[in-house]
Amino acid sequence: MTSRAAVRDVESAAVLAAAQDGDRAAQAAIFEAYKERVARQVFRMTGDASSVDDLVQEVFISAFSALGRFRGDAQLGTWLYTIAANRVRNWWDSQRRRRRREDIASAHADDPVATPEADLEARQQRDHLYRALGELPDKLRESFVARAIEGMNLHEASAALGVPISTVSYRTRRAEQMLCAALGIPWRDE
Amino acid sequence: MSPDFRPAPGEPAVRSPELLRLVQAARVAPPPVLKASSDAVFAGFQARRRDRRRLVVGAAVAVAAAVALLWARPSFMSSRTGTLEPVATNSMQAPHVAPLPVLAEAVRVVAEEGPPAGVRGEWQVELGDGRYDVTVAAHAGPELLRVDTAGGTVEIAQGRVVIVVAGARTEAVLRTGVATWIAPGGARTPLAVAPAEASLDDAPDPKASPSDLARHADALLAAGRRDAAIRVLDLLVTTHPDSPPARAALLDLARLLKAASRADEARCAYALYLARYPGKEQLADEVEAALSRLGPGPACTDLRPR
């Protein structure tokens, strides 16, 4: 779990500067403070447990390489969220291009699964949702994941995604509408 | 994107109860146990920093070479007529030109179809659309051959890999040895040695499911049988047009037809994709761009040019 004190410590200018210079201990401190948060975000954005390790690693390598551009006007966590969102966007791109998603889905369908029935049902529901999420345009998917799956309120999602609150709201509703259509769920715009 | 749209304060993220059930299943899923370590991140950071430095040094050398070339002013550049005049030069005074990179002795790349491989360094090549037979003989050093394609990278320690590139799609079949597939996102997958080609049947089972047909086409493509793969994909998109794999299959079919220089059929496949999946999304833009690059052609009836 990320403690507030640990986060405050690693956000100090001295630690950030040392990490940017390639100080191993400073980088390790930042990694340890944020790794779980980034892993949870990546998993919720992709739904693919097997890609989390690689993506988390990529996020931190990119972040340490670009720390010079972090000006401290946002929280480090928010900045990392943006980097992770970009990496995940590339991931979805490559998934679409290489058609892996369908292969994985059909491979899962063929797998003999020895989990309890409730787990199996939950996994199938997640698979359905993420398959449909993969078909959404990036911006709609990111808003929906931030609001619906990450559980952010409109202000938090607006800050994390760097777009106005009204845009987050619109994109989330549009994403819900498209997801309902893709999943054969009736859409009620109240 | 959102003109005149005012969110209600505290509005719910999801309104549909059915969708909310799926979302909750995703929300409560525990994230996997993270195996990435700060050591691995640090090693990746160092490697990236090294690459950047090399890039900067390379750019500086290129600029210096360009300046030196201008300063040396070879005779054709100072010609008053402005025409290129071949002039014999003393080898001592000839401007220095960096030698073209040459592949390491242990590496052999044969272009069976498509343009020759571009050599980027002793241990690095870049492949265009086509079929390539790449061999890395056993060698003493730790070097790995890096084979870059539009769809990803193959890293070969030693052995033989057949690589088929069609647009952004790359299939690598390891015949012998040790190699790794590196996806554009950086994910690494060790390649397994493929079974012999003889077991692959060109003719698809007419009762095969759409997913089976898609896998069959992949296997044919990986074995370098592009025409057979085209026939299977054609069958898939024609006989199972509403199946989930049909969409990706139609796009693959168009790319393969284009790579096979069957422009009219490729045009029809792209046009059929836009007709079947008219939603504006990223891939639609890509398809429209591919279609315009192909230029005008005969009208189509589904997949066939008239």
Side-chain angles (χ1 to χ4, degrees), chain B residues 35-104:
Chain B
K35 292 192 280 291
S37 66
S38 61
D39 288 343
V41 170
F42 184 73
F45 169 79
Q46 296 284 57
R48 188 169 293 185
R49 197 144 83 160
R50 255 194 323 271
D51 288 349
R52 268 198 197 159
R53 280 184 187 148
R54 270 188 211 141
L55 198 67
V56 169
V57 170
V61 168
V63 169
V67 170
L69 189 64
L70 283 174
W71 180 75
R73 290 177 68 90
S75 55
F76 71 82
M77 289 176 73
S78 59
S79 163
R80 284 166 194 256
T81 60
T83 55
L84 299 178
E85 297 164 8
V87 178
T89 55
N90 182 322
S91 63
M92 294 293 283
Q93 295 168 338
H96 174 73
V97 178
L100 288 173
V102 178
L103 276 176

Side-chain angles (χ1 to χ4, degrees), chain B:
Chain B
M1 193 60 192
S2 55
D4 302 328
F5 188 85
R6 291 188 188 157
E11 69 174 22
V14 183
R15 289 170 173 73
S16 158
E18 294 94 329
L19 184 60
L20 190 57
R21 202 163 39 83
L22 300 186
V23 166
Q24 272 161 353
R27 242 184 233 168
V28 298
V33 177
L34 196 62
K35 292 192 280 291
S37 66
S38 61
D39 288 343
V41 170
F42 184 73
F45 169 79
Q46 296 284 57
R48 188 169 293 185
R49 197 144 83 160
R50 255 194 323 271
D51 288 349
R52 268 198 197 159
R53 280 184 187 148
R54 270 188 211 141
L55 198 67
V56 169
V57 170
V61 168
V63 169
V67 170
L69 189 64
L70 283 174
W71 180 75
R73 290 177 68 90
S75 55
F76 71 82
M77 289 176 73
S78 59
S79 163
R80 284 166 194 256
T81 60
T83 55
L84 299 178
E85 297 164 8
V87 178
T89 55
N90 182 322
S91 63
M92 294 293 283
Q93 295 168 338
H96 174 73
V97 178
L100 288 173
V102 178
L103 276 176
E105 213 168 290
V107 178
R108 191 173 62 95
V109 182
V110 179
E112 295 178 346
E113 282 174 31
V119 179
R120 299 284 173 262
E122 217 183 347
W123 293 94
Q124 186 175 8
V125 290
E126 188 176 341
L127 306 183
D129 277 8
R131 184 177 199 270
Y132 299 83
D133 192 332
V134 184
T135 309
V136 178
H139 54 283
E143 298 89 353
L144 306 173
L145 176 69
R146 188 182 163 89
V147 184
D148 294 321
T149 72
T153 299
V154 184
E155 203 174 66
I156 307 171
Q158 184 258 315
R160 180 175 161 236
V161 184
V162 176
I163 301 172
V164 181
V165 185
R169 187 188 175 101
T170 301
E171 297 294 340
V173 180
L174 179 63
R175 293 279 172 234
T176 58
V178 179
T180 304
W181 166 256
I182 306 172
R188 302 171 70 91
T189 313
L191 294 176
V193 175
E197 289 182 23
S199 61
L200 199 57
D201 186 8
D202 274 9
D205 177 359
K207 289 179 188 166
S209 70
S211 297
D212 286 343
L213 287 171
R215 275 194 285 268
H216 191 187
D218 282 348
L220 286 166
L221 192 61
R225 300 185 188 174
R226 184 168 59 193
D227 289 341
I230 287 174
R231 281 194 293 277
V232 174
L233 290 173
D234 189 312
L235 180 70
L236 197 170
V237 300
T238 309
T239 55
H240 305 282
D242 299 322
S243 66
R247 183 174 186 160
L250 184 50
L251 205 51
D252 288 341
L253 177 61
R255 288 171 178 154
L256 288 176
L257 287 166
K258 188 176 162 213
S261 302
R262 292 159 67 175
D264 287 343
E265 290 165 89
R267 198 179 292 109
C268 290
Y270 280 128
L272 183 60
Y273 181 93
L274 290 176
R276 276 190 188 173
Y277 312 106
K280 279 302 257 184
E281 35 89 21
Q282 231 168 344
L283 279 178
D285 292 343
E286 193 183 308
V287 171
E288 277 169 5
L291 199 51
S292 71
R293 278 197 297 274
L294 281 169
C300 307
T301 305
D302 290 335
L303 279 173
R304 317 278 171 246
R306 282 181 207 151

